[in-house]
Coordinates of all heavy atoms in Angstrom, one line a residue:
M16 N -77.6 229.4 5.6 CA -77.3 230.5 6.5 C -76.2 231.3 5.8 O -75.2 230.8 5.3 CB -76.9 229.9 7.8 CG -76.4 231.0 8.7 SD -75.7 230.7 10.3 CE -75.8 229.0 10.7
S17 N -76.3 232.6 5.9 CA -75.3 233.5 5.4 C -74.1 233.5 6.3 O -74.2 233.3 7.5 CB -75.8 234.9 5.2 OG -76.1 235.5 6.4
N18 N -72.9 233.7 5.8 CA -71.7 233.8 6.5 C -71.2 235.2 6.6 O -70.7 235.8 5.6 CB -70.6 232.9 5.9 CG -69.3 232.9 6.6 OD1 -69.1 233.6 7.5 ND2 -68.4 232.0 6.2
P19 N -71.2 235.9 7.8 CA -70.8 237.3 7.9 C -69.3 237.5 7.7 O -68.8 238.6 7.6 CB -71.3 237.7 9.3 CG -71.3 236.4 10.1 CD -71.7 235.3 9.1
F20 N -68.5 236.4 7.7 CA -67.1 236.5 7.6 C -66.6 236.3 6.2 O -65.5 236.5 5.8 CB -66.4 235.4 8.5 CG -66.6 235.6 9.9 CD1 -67.6 234.9 10.6 CD2 -65.9 236.5 10.7 CE1 -67.8 235.1 11.9 CE2 -66.1 236.7 12.0 CZ -67.1 236.0 12.6
K21 N -67.5 235.9 5.3 CA -67.2 235.6 3.9 C -66.4 236.7 3.2 O -65.4 236.4 2.6 CB -68.4 235.3 3.1 CG -68.2 234.9 1.7 CD -69.4 234.5 0.9 CE -69.1 234.1 -0.5 NZ -70.3 233.8 -1.2
N22 N -66.8 237.9 3.3 CA -66.2 239.0 2.6 C -65.4 239.9 3.5 O -64.9 241.0 3.1 CB -67.2 239.8 1.8 CG -67.8 239.0 0.7 OD1 -67.2 238.3 0.0 ND2 -69.2 239.1 0.6
R23 N -65.2 239.5 4.7 CA -64.5 240.3 5.7 C -63.0 240.1 5.5 O -62.5 239.0 5.3 CB -64.9 239.9 7.1 CG -64.2 240.8 8.2 CD -64.7 240.3 9.5 NE -63.9 241.0 10.6 CZ -64.4 241.9 11.3 NH1 -65.7 242.3 11.2 NH2 -63.6 242.5 12.2
V24 N -62.2 241.2 5.6 CA -60.8 241.1 5.5 C -60.3 240.6 6.9 O -60.7 241.1 7.9 CB -60.2 242.5 5.2 CG1 -58.6 242.5 5.3 CG2 -60.6 243.0 3.9
R25 N -59.4 239.6 6.8 CA -58.9 239.0 8.1 C -58.0 240.0 8.7 O -57.2 240.7 8.1 CB -58.1 237.7 7.8 CG -59.1 236.7 7.3 CD -58.3 235.4 7.1 NE -59.3 234.4 6.5 CZ -59.0 233.4 5.8 NH1 -57.7 233.3 5.4 NH2 -59.9 232.6 5.3
S26 N -58.1 240.1 10.1 CA -57.3 241.1 10.8 C -56.8 240.5 12.1 O -57.4 239.7 12.7 CB -58.2 242.3 11.2 OG -57.6 243.1 12.1
L27 N -55.5 240.8 12.4 CA -54.9 240.3 13.7 C -55.7 240.8 14.9 O -55.6 240.3 16.0 CB -53.5 240.7 13.8 CG -52.6 240.1 12.7 CD1 -51.1 240.6 12.9 CD2 -52.6 238.6 12.9
S28 N -56.5 241.9 14.8 CA -57.3 242.4 15.9 C -58.6 241.6 16.0 O -59.4 241.9 16.9 CB -57.5 243.9 15.7 OG -58.3 244.1 14.6
G29 N -58.8 240.7 15.2 CA -60.0 239.8 15.3 C -61.1 240.2 14.4 O -61.0 241.2 13.7
P30 N -62.2 239.5 14.5 CA -62.3 238.3 15.3 C -61.6 237.1 14.6 O -61.4 237.1 13.4 CB -63.8 238.0 15.3 CG -64.3 238.6 14.0 CD -63.4 239.7 13.7
A31 N -61.3 236.1 15.5 CA -60.7 234.8 15.0 C -61.8 234.1 14.1 O -63.0 234.3 14.4 CB -60.3 234.0 16.1
T32 N -61.4 233.3 13.2 CA -62.3 232.6 12.4 C -62.4 231.1 12.8 O -63.2 230.4 12.3 CB -62.0 232.7 10.9 OG1 -60.6 232.2 10.7 CG2 -62.1 234.1 10.4
D33 N -61.5 230.7 13.7 CA -61.6 229.3 14.1 C -60.9 229.2 15.5 O -60.1 230.1 15.9 CB -60.8 228.4 13.2 CG -61.2 226.9 13.3 OD1 -62.1 226.6 14.1 OD2 -60.6 226.1 12.6
I34 N -61.3 228.2 16.3 CA -60.7 227.9 17.6 C -60.4 226.5 17.6 O -61.2 225.6 17.3 CB -61.6 228.4 18.8 CG1 -60.9 228.2 20.1 CG2 -63.0 227.7 18.7 CD1 -61.6 228.9 21.3
V35 N -59.1 226.1 17.9 CA -58.6 224.8 17.8 C -58.0 224.3 19.1 O -57.2 225.0 19.7 CB -57.5 224.7 16.7 CG1 -56.9 223.4 16.5 CG2 -58.0 225.3 15.4
P36 N -58.4 223.1 19.6 CA -57.8 222.6 20.9 C -56.3 222.4 20.7 O -55.8 222.0 19.6 CB -58.5 221.3 21.1 CG -59.7 221.3 20.2 CD -59.4 222.2 19.1
V37 N -55.5 222.7 21.7 CA -54.1 222.6 21.7 C -53.6 221.5 22.7 O -54.0 221.6 23.8 CB -53.4 224.0 22.0 CG1 -51.9 223.8 22.2 CG2 -53.7 225.0 21.0
E38 N -52.8 220.6 22.2 CA -52.1 219.7 23.1 C -50.7 220.2 23.2 O -50.0 220.1 22.2 CB -52.2 218.3 22.4 CG -51.6 217.2 23.3 CD -52.4 216.9 24.6 OE1 -53.7 216.9 24.5 OE2 -51.8 216.7 25.6
P39 N -50.3 220.6 24.4 CA -48.9 221.1 24.6 C -47.9 220.1 24.1 O -48.1 218.9 24.4 CB -48.9 221.4 26.1 CG -50.3 221.7 26.5 CD -51.1 220.7 25.7
D40 N -46.9 220.5 23.4 CA -45.9 219.6 22.8 C -44.6 220.4 22.8 O -44.5 221.5 22.3 CB -46.4 219.3 21.4 CG -45.5 218.2 20.8 OD1 -44.3 218.3 20.8 OD2 -46.1 217.3 20.1
D41 N -43.5 219.7 23.3 CA -42.2 220.3 23.3 C -41.5 220.3 21.9 O -40.6 221.1 21.7 CB -41.3 219.6 24.3 CG -41.7 220.0 25.7 OD1 -42.3 221.0 26.0 OD2 -41.4 219.1 26.6
A42 N -42.0 219.5 21.0 CA -41.3 219.4 19.7 C -42.1 220.1 18.5 O -41.4 220.7 17.7 CB -41.1 217.9 19.3
A43 N -43.4 220.0 18.5 CA -44.1 220.4 17.4 C -44.7 221.8 17.6 O -45.3 222.1 18.6 CB -45.3 219.4 17.0
E44 N -44.6 222.7 16.6 CA -45.3 224.0 16.6 C -46.7 223.8 16.1 O -47.1 222.7 15.6 CB -44.6 224.9 15.6 CG -43.2 225.4 16.1 CD -42.6 226.5 15.3 OE1 -43.3 227.2 14.5 OE2 -41.4 226.8 15.5
L45 N -47.6 224.7 16.4 CA -48.9 224.7 16.0 C -49.0 224.7 14.4 O -48.1 225.2 13.8 CB -49.7 225.9 16.5 CG -49.7 226.1 18.0 CD1 -50.4 227.4 18.4 CD2 -50.5 224.9 18.7
V46 N -50.0 224.1 13.9 CA -50.2 224.1 12.4 C -50.3 225.5 11.9 O -49.7 225.8 10.8 CB -51.5 223.3 12.0 CG1 -51.7 223.4 10.6 CG2 -51.3 221.9 12.5
Q47 N -50.9 226.4 12.6 CA -51.0 227.8 12.2 C -50.7 228.7 13.5 O -51.1 228.3 14.6 CB -52.4 228.1 11.7 CG -52.7 229.4 11.3 CD -54.1 229.6 10.8 OE1 -55.0 228.7 11.0 NE2 -54.4 230.7 10.2
T48 N -50.0 229.8 13.3 CA -49.7 230.7 14.4 C -51.0 231.2 14.9 O -51.8 231.7 14.1 CB -48.8 231.8 14.0 OG1 -47.5 231.2 13.6 CG2 -48.5 232.8 15.1
A49 N -51.3 231.1 16.2 CA -52.5 231.6 16.8 C -52.4 233.1 17.0 O -51.3 233.6 17.3 CB -52.7 230.9 18.2
I50 N -53.5 233.8 16.9 CA -53.6 235.2 17.2 C -53.8 235.5 18.7 O -53.6 236.5 19.2 CB -54.6 236.0 16.4 CG1 -56.0 235.5 16.6 CG2 -54.2 235.9 14.9 CD1 -57.1 236.4 16.0
A51 N -54.3 234.4 19.4 CA -54.5 234.5 20.8 C -54.7 233.0 21.3 O -54.9 232.1 20.6 CB -55.7 235.3 21.2
L52 N -54.7 232.9 22.7 CA -55.0 231.6 23.3 C -56.2 231.8 24.2 O -56.4 232.9 24.7 CB -53.8 231.1 24.1 CG -52.6 230.7 23.4 CD1 -51.5 230.2 24.5 CD2 -52.8 229.6 22.4
Y53 N -57.0 230.8 24.4 CA -58.0 230.7 25.4 C -57.7 229.6 26.3 O -57.4 228.5 25.8 CB -59.4 230.6 24.8 CG -60.5 230.4 25.9 CD1 -60.8 231.5 26.7 CD2 -61.1 229.2 26.0 CE1 -61.8 231.3 27.7 CE2 -62.1 229.0 27.0 CZ -62.4 230.1 27.8 OH -63.4 229.9 28.8
V54 N -57.7 229.8 27.6 CA -57.3 228.7 28.6 C -58.5 228.5 29.6 O -58.9 229.5 30.3 CB -56.0 229.1 29.4 CG1 -55.6 228.0 30.4 CG2 -54.9 229.3 28.4
E55 N -59.0 227.3 29.7 CA -60.1 227.0 30.5 C -59.7 226.9 32.0 O -60.3 227.4 32.9 CB -60.8 225.7 30.1 CG -61.5 225.9 28.7 CD -62.0 224.6 28.2 OE1 -61.8 223.5 28.8 OE2 -62.7 224.6 27.2
T56 N -58.6 226.1 32.2 CA -58.1 225.9 33.6 C -56.7 226.5 33.7 O -55.8 226.1 33.1 CB -58.0 224.3 33.9 OG1 -59.3 223.8 33.7 CG2 -57.6 224.1 35.4
G57 N -56.7 227.5 34.6 CA -55.5 228.3 34.7 C -54.3 227.5 35.3 O -54.4 226.4 35.8
G58 N -53.1 228.2 35.2 CA -51.9 227.7 35.7 C -50.8 228.3 34.9 O -51.0 229.4 34.3
A59 N -49.6 227.6 34.8 CA -48.5 228.2 34.0 C -48.7 227.7 32.6 O -49.1 226.6 32.3 CB -47.2 227.6 34.6
V60 N -48.3 228.6 31.7 CA -48.3 228.3 30.3 C -46.9 228.7 29.7 O -46.5 229.9 29.9 CB -49.4 229.1 29.5 CG1 -49.4 228.7 28.0 CG2 -50.7 228.8 30.1
T61 N -46.2 227.8 29.0 CA -45.0 228.1 28.4 C -45.2 228.1 26.9 O -45.7 227.1 26.3 CB -43.9 227.1 28.8 OG1 -43.7 227.2 30.2 CG2 -42.6 227.4 28.1
V62 N -44.9 229.2 26.2 CA -45.2 229.3 24.8 C -43.9 229.8 24.0 O -43.0 230.4 24.6 CB -46.3 230.3 24.5 CG1 -47.6 229.8 25.2 CG2 -46.0 231.7 24.9
L63 N -43.9 229.5 22.7 CA -43.0 230.1 21.8 C -43.8 231.2 21.1 O -44.8 230.9 20.4 CB -42.5 229.1 20.8 CG -41.6 229.7 19.6 CD1 -40.3 230.3 20.2 CD2 -41.3 228.6 18.6
T64 N -43.5 232.5 21.3 CA -44.3 233.6 20.8 C -44.1 233.7 19.2 O -43.1 233.2 18.7 CB -43.9 234.9 21.4 OG1 -42.6 235.3 21.1 CG2 -44.1 234.8 22.9
A65 N -44.9 234.5 18.6 CA -44.8 234.8 17.2 C -43.4 235.5 16.9 O -42.9 235.4 15.8 CB -45.9 235.6 16.7
A66 N -42.9 236.1 17.9 CA -41.6 236.8 17.8 C -40.4 235.9 18.0 O -39.3 236.3 17.9 CB -41.5 237.9 18.9
G67 N -40.7 234.6 18.3 CA -39.6 233.6 18.4 C -39.0 233.5 19.8 O -37.9 233.0 19.9
V68 N -39.7 234.0 20.8 CA -39.2 234.0 22.2 C -40.0 233.0 23.0 O -41.2 233.0 23.0 CB -39.2 235.4 22.8 CG1 -38.7 235.4 24.2 CG2 -38.5 236.4 21.9
V69 N -39.3 232.2 23.9 CA -40.0 231.3 24.8 C -40.3 232.1 26.1 O -39.5 232.7 26.7 CB -39.2 230.1 25.1 CG1 -39.9 229.2 26.2 CG2 -38.9 229.3 23.9
R70 N -41.6 232.1 26.4 CA -42.1 232.8 27.6 C -42.9 231.9 28.5 O -43.7 231.1 27.9 CB -43.0 234.0 27.2 CG -42.3 235.0 26.3 CD -41.4 235.9 27.1 NE -41.0 237.0 26.2 CZ -39.9 237.7 26.4 NH1 -39.1 237.4 27.5 NH2 -39.5 238.6 25.6
T71 N -42.9 232.1 29.8 CA -43.7 231.3 30.7 C -44.5 232.4 31.6 O -43.9 233.3 32.1 CB -42.9 230.4 31.6 OG1 -42.2 229.5 30.8 CG2 -43.8 229.7 32.6
F72 N -45.8 232.2 31.7 CA -46.6 233.1 32.5 C -47.7 232.3 33.2 O -48.1 231.2 32.8 CB -47.2 234.2 31.6 CG -47.8 233.7 30.3 CD1 -49.1 233.4 30.3 CD2 -47.0 233.6 29.2 CE1 -49.7 232.9 29.1 CE2 -47.6 233.1 28.0 CZ -48.9 232.8 28.0
N73 N -48.2 232.8 34.3 CA -49.3 232.2 35.0 C -50.6 233.0 34.7 O -50.6 234.2 34.7 CB -49.0 232.2 36.5 CG -47.9 231.3 36.8 OD1 -48.1 230.1 36.6 ND2 -46.8 231.8 37.3
I74 N -51.7 232.2 34.5 CA -53.0 232.9 34.2 C -54.1 232.1 35.0 O -54.0 231.0 35.4 CB -53.3 232.8 32.7 CG1 -53.2 231.4 32.2 CG2 -52.4 233.8 32.0 CD1 -53.7 231.3 30.8
P75 N -55.2 232.9 35.3 CA -56.3 232.3 36.0 C -57.2 231.5 35.0 O -57.0 231.5 33.8 CB -57.1 233.5 36.6 CG -56.7 234.6 35.7 CD -55.3 234.3 35.2
D76 N -58.2 230.8 35.6 CA -59.2 230.1 34.8 C -59.9 231.0 33.8 O -60.1 232.2 34.1 CB -60.2 229.4 35.6 CG -59.7 228.4 36.6 OD1 -58.5 228.0 36.4 OD2 -60.5 227.9 37.4
F77 N -60.3 230.5 32.6 CA -61.1 231.1 31.6 C -60.5 232.5 31.2 O -61.2 233.5 31.2 CB -62.6 231.3 32.2 CG -63.2 230.1 32.7 CD1 -63.4 229.9 34.1 CD2 -63.4 229.0 31.9 CE1 -64.0 228.8 34.6 CE2 -64.0 227.8 32.3 CZ -64.3 227.7 33.7
T78 N -59.3 232.4 30.7 CA -58.5 233.6 30.3 C -58.2 233.6 28.8 O -57.8 232.6 28.3 CB -57.2 233.7 31.1 OG1 -57.6 233.8 32.5 CG2 -56.4 234.9 30.7
F79 N -58.4 234.7 28.2 CA -57.9 235.0 26.9 C -56.5 235.6 27.0 O -56.3 236.5 27.8 CB -58.8 235.9 26.1 CG -60.0 235.2 25.6 CD1 -61.2 235.3 26.4 CD2 -60.1 234.5 24.4 CE1 -62.4 234.7 25.9 CE2 -61.2 233.9 24.0 CZ -62.4 234.0 24.7
V80 N -55.5 235.1 26.2 CA -54.2 235.6 26.2 C -53.9 236.2 24.8 O -53.7 235.5 23.8 CB -53.1 234.5 26.5 CG1 -51.7 235.1 26.5 CG2 -53.4 233.8 27.8
P81 N -54.0 237.5 24.6 CA -53.9 238.2 23.3 C -52.5 238.3 22.8 O -52.0 239.4 22.7 CB -54.6 239.5 23.5 CG -54.3 239.8 25.0 CD -54.3 238.5 25.7
V82 N -51.8 237.2 22.5 CA -50.5 237.3 22.0 C -50.3 236.2 20.9 O -50.9 235.1 21.0 CB -49.4 237.0 23.1 CG1 -49.5 235.6 23.7 CG2 -48.0 237.3 22.7
G83 N -49.5 236.5 19.9 CA -49.3 235.5 18.8 C -48.5 234.4 19.4 O -47.4 234.6 20.0
V84 N -48.9 233.1 19.1 CA -48.2 232.0 19.7 C -48.0 231.0 18.5 O -48.9 230.6 17.8 CB -49.1 231.3 20.8 CG1 -48.5 230.0 21.2 CG2 -49.2 232.3 21.9
R85 N -46.7 230.5 18.4 CA -46.4 229.5 17.5 C -46.4 228.1 18.1 O -46.5 227.1 17.3 CB -45.0 229.8 16.9 CG -44.9 231.0 16.1 CD -43.6 231.5 15.6 NE -42.5 230.5 15.5 CZ -41.2 230.8 15.4 NH1 -40.9 232.1 15.4 NH2 -40.3 229.9 15.3
Q86 N -46.2 228.0 19.4 CA -46.1 226.7 20.0 C -46.4 226.8 21.5 O -46.1 227.8 22.1 CB -44.6 226.2 19.9 CG -44.4 224.8 20.5 CD -42.9 224.3 20.2 OE1 -42.1 225.1 19.7 NE2 -42.6 223.1 20.6
V87 N -47.1 225.8 22.0 CA -47.3 225.7 23.5 C -46.5 224.5 24.0 O -46.8 223.3 23.5 CB -48.8 225.5 23.8 CG1 -49.0 225.3 25.3 CG2 -49.7 226.7 23.3
H88 N -45.6 224.7 24.8 CA -44.7 223.7 25.3 C -45.4 222.9 26.4 O -46.1 223.4 27.2 CB -43.4 224.3 25.9 CG -42.5 224.9 24.8 ND1 -41.5 224.2 24.3 CD2 -42.5 226.2 24.3 CE1 -40.9 225.0 23.4 NE2 -41.5 226.2 23.4
A89 N -45.1 221.6 26.4 CA -45.6 220.7 27.5 C -44.8 221.0 28.8 O -45.3 221.1 29.9 CB -45.4 219.2 27.1
T90 N -43.5 221.1 28.6 CA -42.6 221.4 29.8 C -42.9 222.8 30.3 O -42.8 223.7 29.5 CB -41.1 221.2 29.4 OG1 -40.9 219.9 28.9 CG2 -40.2 221.5 30.6
G91 N -43.3 222.9 31.5 CA -43.5 224.2 32.1 C -45.0 224.6 32.1 O -45.4 225.6 32.7
T92 N -45.8 223.8 31.3 CA -47.2 224.2 31.2 C -48.1 223.3 32.1 O -48.0 222.1 32.0 CB -47.7 224.0 29.8 OG1 -47.1 224.9 28.9 CG2 -49.2 224.2 29.6
T93 N -48.8 223.9 33.1 CA -49.7 223.2 34.0 C -51.1 223.5 33.7 O -52.0 222.8 34.2 CB -49.3 223.6 35.5 OG1 -49.5 225.0 35.7 CG2 -47.9 223.2 35.8
A94 N -51.4 224.6 32.9 CA -52.8 225.0 32.6 C -53.3 223.9 31.6 O -52.5 223.2 31.0 CB -52.8 226.3 31.9
S95 N -54.6 223.8 31.5 CA -55.2 222.8 30.6 C -56.5 223.5 29.9 O -56.9 224.6 30.3 CB -55.6 221.6 31.4 OG -56.6 221.8 32.4
G96 N -57.0 222.7 29.0 CA -58.1 223.3 28.2 C -57.7 224.5 27.4 O -58.4 225.5 27.3
I97 N -56.5 224.3 26.7 CA -55.9 225.4 26.0 C -56.4 225.3 24.5 O -56.5 224.2 23.9 CB -54.4 225.3 26.0 CG1 -53.9 225.4 27.4 CG2 -53.8 226.4 25.1 CD1 -52.4 225.1 27.6
H98 N -56.8 226.5 24.0 CA -57.3 226.5 22.6 C -56.6 227.7 21.9 O -56.4 228.7 22.5 CB -58.8 226.8 22.6 CG -59.6 225.8 23.3 ND1 -60.0 224.6 22.7 CD2 -60.1 225.7 24.6 CE1 -60.7 223.9 23.6 NE2 -60.7 224.5 24.7
A99 N -56.3 227.5 20.6 CA -55.7 228.5 19.8 C -56.8 229.2 19.0 O -57.6 228.5 18.3 CB -54.6 227.9 18.9
L100 N -56.8 230.5 19.0 CA -57.7 231.3 18.1 C -56.9 231.6 16.9 O -55.8 232.2 16.9 CB -58.1 232.6 18.8 CG -59.3 232.4 19.9 CD1 -58.7 231.7 21.1 CD2 -59.9 233.7 20.2
C101 N -57.5 231.2 15.7 CA -56.8 231.3 14.5 C -57.5 232.1 13.4 O -58.8 232.2 13.5 CB -56.5 229.9 13.9 SG -55.5 228.9 15.0
L102 N -56.8 232.6 12.4 CA -57.4 233.2 11.2 C -57.2 232.1 10.1 O -56.2 232.1 9.4 CB -56.6 234.4 10.9 CG -56.8 235.6 11.8 CD1 -55.8 236.7 11.4 CD2 -58.2 236.1 11.9
S103 N -58.2 231.3 9.9 CA -58.1 230.2 8.9 C -58.3 230.7 7.6 O -59.0 231.6 7.3 CB -59.1 229.1 9.2 OG -59.3 228.8 10.5

């Protein structure tokens, strides 16, 4: 099968080339900064943004969050089914 992403220049505007499950963690940052998050079950999400700021926000089920994220904190996060959209 051909890969339509093979010669495409990666862009922060997408599309992502991988989606990785995230386990919220207060100590460890993501392996790669995400270009966005996808959340299956809504609630509060506390993140360290790509800009280096900790933010908490509430979102509904099945939501895309189009913000660069370096870390998803366990403390303050009640949402689940969190996935990082990445440019691998």
Side-chain angles (χ1 to χ4, degrees):
M16 172 183 359
S17 66
N18 180 351
F20 296 97
K21 182 177 180 181
N22 295 315
R23 184 181 171 108
V24 176
R25 293 181 183 151
S26 169
L27 293 177
S28 62
T32 56
D33 200 5
I34 185 166
V35 181
V37 172
E38 185 66 40
D40 188 316
D41 289 335
E44 291 190 12
L45 301 173
V46 174
Q47 180 180 9
T48 298
I50 61 170
L52 295 179
Y53 174 70
V54 179
E55 293 173 353
T56 303
V60 181
T61 300
V62 301
L63 175 63
T64 67
V68 180
V69 175
R70 303 279 188 205
T71 300
F72 48 90
N73 290 295
I74 54 174
D76 295 350
F77 308 113
T78 298
F79 284 93
V80 181
V82 65
V84 173
R85 293 174 24 196
Q86 181 177 4
V87 178
H88 291 266
T90 302
T92 296
T93 60
S95 63
I97 301 170
H98 302 276
L100 281 73
C101 301
L102 294 172
S103 317

